[in-house]
Structure formats: C-alpha cells, structure tokens
C-alpha cells in the first residue's frame, strides 16, 4: 500500500447482491474480507492522517438527514474534508424529496452532481430504493432497522483496546434496535458470540436469529436475563431505550428498566470487559454515570472512531 492511497482492498471478494457500484448498506451484505479490509484502511488512516489528505480530491459527498444527528453528521463532514473532499448537507424538509419528488428521481439527479450519498432515514427500503436508482455509492447512516457505520467503529474500537474480536463474547442489554441488529450482523461476519438480553416483546426478529444460525461463523443468542447475557462477557453494549423511530415511550421505560447497565450488572462481566454505547446516552436510564464514566467505558474512543471508520468506508465505496 503506497502512502496516500488505499489500493489494498481492491482485490476483496465480490459483494453479495451488489453490482459494480460499491454501496455500504448493511454489514450482512458485505463479506468478511471486505469488512476486514475497511477496518485495515481505517487503522492506516488513523495512524497517519496526513498521508491521506488528497484521497478524496475533487470528490463530493451529499448527506441526506431525515432524522437528527450529531456524530454522524460531524464525523462524515469532517472526515470527508480531511480527505480532501467536499460535502453537501441536505435536510429532508429542504429537499424536493420531502415534498413529493420520488426517491428514484432524487437518486438519478444526485448521481449527476456528487460522487456518493450518505443517508439517514426511516425505513431501510428507502435506502435500498436510493441505491437501486443511483449510479454512485449509497451509505447507510442509520435507518429504523440498522446502523452499520456505528458498528464498524465499535469493532475498530474493541480491537484497538483488546485485539481481535473473533471468539469473544459480546453482551447487549436493551431492545433489539437498529444498533443491536447491526451488532448481530457483525457477530457473524467478525465471528464472535453475541448474547442479546431483551424483554420478550422487544427481542430480535426470528428471521435475524435464523439467518445467524444458518451462517458458518459467529453466534447470536437471545435471553430475557441481562445477568445471563453479561456474565463473563468481554464487551457490554447498550443504547437508548427509545430510538428516534419509537413512540411508545412509557411502555419502553417500564419494560427496559431491568436492562439498565449499572455497576452491579457490569461487575458480572470479565474484570477487563469494555463498555460501549453509540451515544447519545440517557444517563440514569439505560446506563448509569458510574458505568459510562467508569474504568470499563470506551465511549469517547468509540465516538472518535466513527471518523476513522467512515473515512475508510468512503475510500472503499469510491475505490480511492
Ligand atoms: N451514534 C450516532 O449515530 O450518533 P448521532 O445520532 O449523533 O449521529
Ligand atoms: N437507536 C438509536 C441510535 C441513535 C444513534 C436511534 O435510532 O435513535
């Protein structure tokens, strides 16, 4: 690999279900070699950012937001600029897309102006439709169903602190939300055990568990006991009880209160276990101050790694 380029991953195996355009839609849609290649690139860029400051020269990323964001917006914008590229930020309400223009037509038009689109939206079918009609890469910046960029940053963070995640035990305590689904995809692709602790009515879909069970690597199991999931774990992960697409606030608070990651629950994990949260956190709800500010927590490294992981995702999508 020469300085200033990231050619090493161009020989990665073909992506299942993808055409010539390299979309980053979900972790389960990419093979392990491709995902590993992206993480290798992220580490290289993080080690020597100056060597890659022309990587996206003359390239423009458009970002479409149908939901709020702090980390995704800032890390993609700063990351693109640090690689020499430009960004255009579009809020759904300001776009004709929010006023009746179709997703397909939006995709065709943006493909004539910019080099890639990052989209944060509601249903995953909206991202898939954008990708189906775009001739440029589409990146999933969170849907109701998944958050793959977040989990790439999480794997990068775990491996920086503890080495390979393969064979490790990861515990999730909360509902089987978008972040949890991408974590389950990662369990298969990066070959670790994911123990999901969820209330029965907020657990993963049977289809997700069946998919994981049918794959040769990784393991995804579900319990309603946070203690059972966390006992002996290498990594404990949680997220807000009420995601941006949820409306049943009181019901979720009631069901998820026993799943709070507090000092008592964390003490059941391995002594050197890490704690992660994609943020924003609701302190005193899904996590206590003692855990998020405590010795196990790597949440600020995790947030920083959004920047490095997404630079590598952009580089892979654009073949840079
Ligand atoms: N974790 C994450 O995606 O944060 P934002 O909603 O602030 O982008
Ligand atoms: N599950 C959360 C993640 C926020 C980054 C949500 O969708 O609101």
């Amino acid at each position: 690999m020469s300085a200033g380029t990231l050619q090493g991953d161009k020989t990665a195996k073909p992506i299942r279900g993808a055409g010539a355009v390299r979309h980053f839609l979900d972790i389960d849609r990419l093979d392990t070699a491709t995902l590993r290649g992206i993480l290798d690139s992220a580490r290289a860029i993080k080690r020597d950012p100056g060597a890659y400051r022309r990587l996206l020269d003359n390239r423009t990323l458009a970002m479409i937001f149908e939901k709020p964001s702090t980390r995704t917006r800032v890390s993609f914008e700063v990351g693109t600029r640090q690689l020499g590229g430009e960004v255009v930020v579009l809020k759904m309400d300001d776009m004709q897309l929010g006023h009746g223009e179709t997703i397909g037509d939006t995709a065709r038009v943006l493909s004539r102006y910019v080099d890639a689109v990052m989209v944060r939206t509601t249903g995953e079918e909206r991202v898939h439709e954008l990708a189906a009609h775009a001739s440029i890469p589409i990146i999933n910046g969170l849907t109701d169903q998944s958050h793959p960029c977040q989990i790439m940053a999480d794997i990068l963070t775990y491996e920086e602190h503890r080495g390979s995640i393969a064979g490790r035990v990861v515990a999730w305590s909360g509902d089987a939300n978008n972040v949890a689904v991408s974590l389950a995809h990662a369990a298969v692709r990066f070959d670790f055990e994911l123990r999901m602790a969820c209330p029965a009515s907020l657990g993963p879909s049977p289809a997700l568990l069946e998919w994981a069970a049918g794959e040769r690597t990784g393991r995804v199991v579900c319990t309603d006991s946070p203690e059972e999931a966390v006992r002996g774990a290498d990594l404990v992960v949680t997220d807000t009880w009420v995601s941006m697409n949820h409306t049943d606030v009181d019901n979720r608070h009631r069901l998820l209160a026993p799943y709070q990651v507090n000092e008592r629950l964390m003490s059941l994990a391995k002594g050197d276990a890490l704690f992660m949260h994609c943020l924003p956190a609701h302190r005193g709800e899904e996590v206590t101050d003692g855990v998020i500010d405590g010795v196990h927590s790597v949440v600020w490294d995790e947030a920083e790694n959004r920047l490095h992981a997404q630079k590598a995702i952009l580089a892979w999508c654009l073949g840079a």
Side-chain angles (χ1 to χ4, degrees):
M1 187 187 298
S2 59
T5 62
L6 286 163
Q7 303 297 315
D9 61 353
K10 280 194 167 165
T11 54
K13 281 188 207 145
I15 314 145
R16 285 191 299 129
V21 181
R22 289 179 170 186
H23 301 299
F24 188 83
L25 299 180
D26 267 314
I27 287 173
D28 65 329
R29 289 181 169 239
L30 298 173
D31 60 32
T32 300
T34 299
L35 295 164
R36 278 273 167 221
I38 291 172
L39 290 187
D40 289 345
S41 298
R43 282 185 275 268
I45 296 171
K46 183 172 183 177
R47 238 185 344 262
D48 189 7
Y52 301 96
R53 63 177 188 272
R54 311 296 300 271
L55 199 68
L56 298 187
D57 255 3
N58 301 316
R59 309 285 193 116
T60 301
L61 172 72
M63 297 197 279
I64 302 174
F65 286 98
E66 203 171 0
K67 292 177 177 173
S69 168
T70 298
R71 280 143 288 268
T72 305
R73 156 96 200 245
V74 177
S75 56
F76 263 109
E77 180 157 350
V78 169
T80 303
R81 291 190 195 287
Q82 287 178 354
L83 296 176
E86 297 289 336
V87 289
V88 178
V89 182
L90 300 158
K91 292 238 177 80
M92 191 65 86
D93 283 350
D94 301 335
M95 298 178 70
Q96 299 294 7
L97 180 59
H99 300 277
E101 188 165 20
T102 68
I103 294 174
D105 288 351
T106 303
R108 292 180 187 99
V109 171
L110 289 179
S111 296
R112 303 292 179 102
Y113 295 143
V114 301
D115 299 282
V117 175
M118 192 287 309
V119 56
R120 167 168 287 195
T121 186
T122 53
E124 63 185 354
E125 66 284 353
R126 295 173 70 74
V127 180
H128 297 162
E129 196 175 343
L130 204 56
H133 296 284
S135 56
I136 55 170
I138 303 298
I139 299 170
N140 175 358
L142 181 147
T143 67
D144 296 351
Q145 285 78 23
S146 63
H147 197 1
C149 292
Q150 178 67 53
I151 296 303
M152 290 298 278
D154 290 9
I155 305 300
L156 182 62
T157 307
Y158 184 86
E159 297 198 331
E160 272 180 357
H161 283 270
R162 295 284 183 267
S164 175
I165 199 163
R168 303 292 186 151
V169 174
V170 178
W172 172 271
S173 190
D175 69 315
N177 68 10
N178 43 10
V179 176
V181 167
S182 287
L183 192 57
H185 293 162
V188 168
R189 291 289 178 261
F190 292 97
D191 198 13
F192 58 86
E193 176 175 337
L194 175 64
R195 298 184 195 151
M196 304 176 81
C198 310
S201 59
L202 299 177
S205 68
L208 180 71
L209 296 176
E210 277 164 31
W211 169 76
E215 294 287 313
R216 287 197 320 278
T217 50
R219 185 171 135 86
V220 180
V221 292
C222 191
T223 169
D224 62 3
S225 162
E227 290 79 13
E228 194 183 309
V230 168
R231 193 164 287 120
D234 297 286
L235 168 64
V236 178
V237 192
T238 192
D239 187 14
T240 179
W241 291 338
V242 186
S243 288
M244 292 180 271
N245 56 306
H246 295 143
T247 50
D248 52 336
V249 177
D250 294 343
N251 184 44
R252 288 178 160 271
H253 276 250
R254 185 176 53 76
L255 289 172
L256 287 161
Y259 294 81
Q260 181 189 67
V261 181
N262 50 36
E263 291 86 330
R264 179 195 58 79
L265 187 64
M266 201 66 211
S267 73
L268 300 177
K270 279 196 183 144
D272 68 346
L274 300 180
F275 170 76
M276 289 191 201
H277 188 309
C278 65
L279 307 176
H282 301 77
R283 290 165 176 262
E285 294 181 10
E286 73 272 7
V287 63
T288 57
D289 287 337
V291 170
I292 198 168
D293 298 326
V295 293
H296 299 283
S297 176
V298 290
V299 297
W300 315 121
D301 293 342
E302 184 186 3
E304 179 191 328
N305 279 335
R306 294 292 302 277
L307 179 69
H308 310 297
Q310 288 160 192
K311 283 181 177 178
I313 291 168
L314 283 166
W316 174 78
C317 285
L318 292 167

